[in-house]
């Protein structure tokens, strides 16, 4: 019989932040095990369910019994399995014992590696009931649970105590025991809105029966229901919701029968920066703050309750009463921080260790100030303002508000500096110096903010590379990959005409001037950043060969990379492109074996018409190519280079480069060196061919 399997493990409230991942991992593990043991069919489909009080799944097309199978076990090779007398060796005897067969029952087969013995035996298909409970138990043990717990006097362990188990195959209960629970067909609905047990006659009834018990068991459907209710409630108030990453998923993991209500708080709390109020409502209370059309916080918020009632006044009033102390705390932190002063705290940075090999936060602030001043000078911006922004950028780490809410780093620094009459451009740079914090985040705006942001990231990169604290595998405790991507995006997308190599040297100098001992970082750090750039460009949709052509030159002017990529793409459309790419590769291979110090080509030494023609063409196009490159007209430079194809083809058809006579040979190699330099003026076009 083929039918649907339903599995439900009912528990106490599961961790909300990991509910979705636990549900998906559980469903995947069970489905994979059933498939591996051949209980599934080609049409089998798995649906995962999850609520705060249950993990469940339904899999269609599950057989009640495995098919009969022939199991084949590979043994030793025939040559090594028999001795000179044709009797089994010890290796073959051991294999036969392990496989439970006699020599007469062995067969032989041949593959690409030779002939070997195999043991084949028929295995009768077993009932699903013999395996399902064990599959569920094994799948639960594989879940990504960092900390297990015991309950009562039970020896069993799980993330939370468990209270019920359903194992159904079609209309039949599959007998079994998991975590001390015996399987059945009953579950329970909503803790308060439903009473008594709910019997599931068939897996197909599961969602409907639980819905009748006031539980939306499908996570995605429950999430969509909450989102629709939030939008409707916000619309009634002519407001919009302040979205928060993960909050909707977390709230979906906290309720089984969601209902959205609107609450409000005293308008006087709006004197506190809205970022503080938003964060405390979202993190501490799981509320959805509301904004007006201009993005300004309203003194209203939305509550996602697990109780749908006709008159929710008590729910609303209770939540309003709970949120007030949280908002009061935020106001207290804000008032205290302003009272204690902001700029005056700069001296206190010296008492906070940044890293035992890289000094204090005060040392780091001094370095950042020096680097930011250098960057601003290169950009023609007010160097003293950039230095001031970088010096003050980390002060808010010492404030009570940021101590409570680290996510407000930079944001509070801006508010506090403005409160003390600081310049808006400096305050804005303090807020923006962490940008970009994640993929797709906004970049710092303006040269002062960019200088502070680059100083922050470069000091981290150079400092930690210099003391050997490099990222390994998936471990990056100091966020150096994120810092490198931030540097690249600021330089490339702003764009800024800065040389990355020079920025790294400036950062090294700032560290060395403080007496910090550093290993050589230039080459490994540039390679690390270029590797991040390679991934960034691939994610942006650029072709791998085009990326490699540009990055082979190890560019340090990151702002010019997009133009070079565009030029190489345009060059590829020319009919001469692949032939010249092949020629460039050939020339590169020839020059690898040549002397390093080749002479400038001398026309008087050329003997063949083909080499003279190539020399004259190189002389003709060289100024044009260099002029276009200097003006950053890379597409025009490559178009000019395309005109040399005929002379290059003729040269290789008619001229022998590596002749015996050294003067003639070196003159021809010198010509190829001059041509090679031109062909690689924009990108290494040899990377465009396999």
């Amino acid at each position: 019989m083929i039918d649907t399997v339903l599995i439900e493990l009912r528990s106490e409230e599961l961790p909300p932040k990991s509910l979705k991942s636990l549900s998906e991992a559980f469903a995947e593990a069970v489905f994979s095990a059933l498939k591996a043991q051949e209980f599934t069919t080609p049409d089998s489909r798995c649906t995962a369910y999850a609520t705060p009080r249950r993990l469940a799944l339904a899999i269609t097309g599950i057989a009640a019994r495995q098919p009969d199978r022939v199991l084949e076990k590979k043994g030793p090779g025939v040559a090594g399995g028999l001795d000179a007398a044709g009797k089994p060796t010890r290796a073959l005897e051991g294999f036969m014992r392990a496989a439970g067969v006699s020599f007469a029952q062995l067969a032989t087969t041949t593959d690409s590696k030779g002939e070997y013995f195999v043991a084949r035996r028929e295995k009768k298909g077993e009932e699903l009931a013999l395996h399902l409970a064990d599959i569920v138990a094994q799948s639960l043990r594989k879940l990504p649970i960092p900390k297990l717990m015991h309950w009562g006097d039970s020896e069993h362990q799980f993330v939370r105590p468990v209270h019920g188990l359903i194992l159904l195959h079609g209309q039949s209960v599959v007998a079994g025991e998991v975590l001390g629970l015996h399987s059945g067909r009953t579950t329970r609905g909503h803790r308060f809105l439903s009473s008594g047990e709910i019997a599931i006659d068939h897996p197909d009834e599961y969602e409907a029966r639980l819905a009748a018990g006031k539980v939306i068991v499908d996570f995605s459907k429950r999430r969509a229901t909450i989102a629709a209710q939030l939008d409707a409630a916000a619309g009634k108030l002519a407001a919009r919701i302040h979205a928060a990453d993960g909050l909707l998923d977390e709230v979906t993991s906290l309720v089984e029968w969601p209902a959205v209500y609107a609450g409000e708080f005293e308008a006087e709390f709006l004197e506190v920066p809205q970022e503080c109020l938003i964060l405390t409502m979202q993190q501490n209370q799981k509320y959805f703050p509301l904004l007006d059309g201009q993005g300004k916080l309203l003194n209203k918020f939305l509550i996602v309750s697990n109780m749908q009632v006709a008159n929710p006044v008590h729910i609303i009033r209770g939540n309003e009463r709970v949120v007030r102390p949280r908002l009061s705390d935020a106001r207290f932190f804000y008032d205290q921080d302003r009272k204690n002063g902001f700029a005056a705290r700069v001296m206190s940075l010296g008492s906070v260790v940044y890293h035992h090999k890289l000094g204090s936060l005060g040392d780091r602030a001094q370095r950042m100030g020096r680097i930011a001043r250098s960057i601003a000078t290169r950009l023609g911006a007010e160097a003293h303002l950039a230095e001031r922004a970088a010096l003050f950028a980390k002060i808010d780490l010492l404030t009570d508000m940021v101590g409570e809410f680290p996510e407000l780093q930079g944001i509070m620094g801006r508010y506090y500096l403005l409160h003390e009459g600081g310049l808006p451009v400096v305050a804005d740079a303090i807020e923006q110096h962490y940008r970009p914090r994640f993929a797709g985040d906004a970049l710092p705006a303006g040269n002062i903010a960019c200088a502070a942001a680059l100083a922050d990231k470069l000091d981290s990169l150079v400092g930690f590379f210099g003391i050997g604290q490099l990222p390994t595998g998936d471990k990056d405790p100091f966020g150096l990959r994120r810092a490198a991507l931030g540097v690249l995006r600021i330089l490339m997308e702003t764009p800024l005409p800065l040389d990355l190599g020079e920025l790294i040297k400036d950062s090294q100098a700032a560290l060395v001037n403080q007496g910090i001992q550093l290993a050589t970082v230039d080459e490994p750090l540039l390679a690390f950043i270029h590797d991040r750039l390679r991934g960034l460009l691939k994610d942006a949709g650029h072709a791998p060969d085009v990326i490699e052509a540009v990055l082979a030159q190890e560019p340090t002017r990151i702002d010019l990379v997009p133009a070079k990529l565009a030029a190489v793409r345009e060059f590829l459309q020319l009919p001469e492109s692949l032939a010249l790419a092949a020629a460039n590769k050939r020339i590169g291979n020839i020059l690898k074996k040549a002397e390093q110090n080749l002479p400038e080509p001398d026309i008087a030494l050329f003997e063949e018409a083909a080499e003279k023609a190539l020399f004259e063409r190189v002389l003709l196009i060289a100024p044009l190519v260099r002029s276009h490159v200097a003006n950053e007209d890379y597409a025009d430079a490559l178009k000019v280079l395309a005109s040399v194809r005929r002379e290059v083809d003729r040269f290789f058809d008619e001229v022998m480069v590596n002749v015996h006579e050294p003067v003639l040979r070196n003159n021809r190699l010198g010509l190829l060196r001059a041509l090679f330099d031109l062909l690689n003026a924009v990108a290494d076009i040899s990377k465009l061919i396999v």
Side-chain angles (χ1 to χ4, degrees), residues 73-76 91-100 106 117-119:
K73 188 173 183 180
K74 183 178 179 180
L92 184 57
E93 287 176 346
F95 169 70
M96 290 189 294
R97 283 195 300 272
L106 288 176
F117 288 105
V118 292

Side-chain angles (χ1 to χ4, degrees), residues 54 106 115 153 212-213 217 241 287 305 311 447 467 507 579 594 638:
R54 75 201 75 224
L106 288 176
E115 188 178 15
D153 57 358
V217 73
I241 297 167
Y287 298 154
S305 172
N311 183 7
N447 288 339
I467 61 172
S507 303
L638 290 174

Side-chain angles (χ1 to χ4, degrees), residues 13-26 49-52 54-55 143-147 158-160 219 222 246 249-254:
E13 274 68 11
L14 294 161
K17 290 187 177 179
S18 57
L19 176 64
K20 190 169 183 286
S21 61
L22 288 176
S23 170
E24 292 169 349
F26 181 47
Y49 300 110
T51 79
R54 75 201 75 224
L55 294 176
L143 293 183
I145 300 171
K147 192 172 183 180
F158 192 53
V159 65
R160 293 290 185 271
F219 186 95
R222 195 165 67 254
D249 279 347
E250 189 174 355
V251 169
T252 304
S253 301
L254 289 167

Side-chain angles (χ1 to χ4, degrees), residues 458 462 499-509 521-522 525-526 529:
L458 287 164
V462 174
D499 186 284
L500 180 57
E502 294 175 0
L503 298 181
I504 290 173
K505 284 183 170 56
D506 288 347
S507 303
Q508 284 179 289
V521 303
D522 303 62
L525 180 52
L526 276 173
I529 294 176

Side-chain angles (χ1 to χ4, degrees), residues 265-274 277 297 299 320 323-332 334:
F265 54 87
E266 289 79 1
E268 64 191 53
F269 285 114
L270 295 177
E271 297 172 2
V272 179
Q274 69 179 45
L277 304 179
L297 182 67
N299 63 321
E320 290 175 341
V323 79
R324 287 191 191 100
R326 295 292 189 178
L327 300 181
S328 295
D329 287 345
R331 181 167 60 185
F332 174 77
Y334 183 57

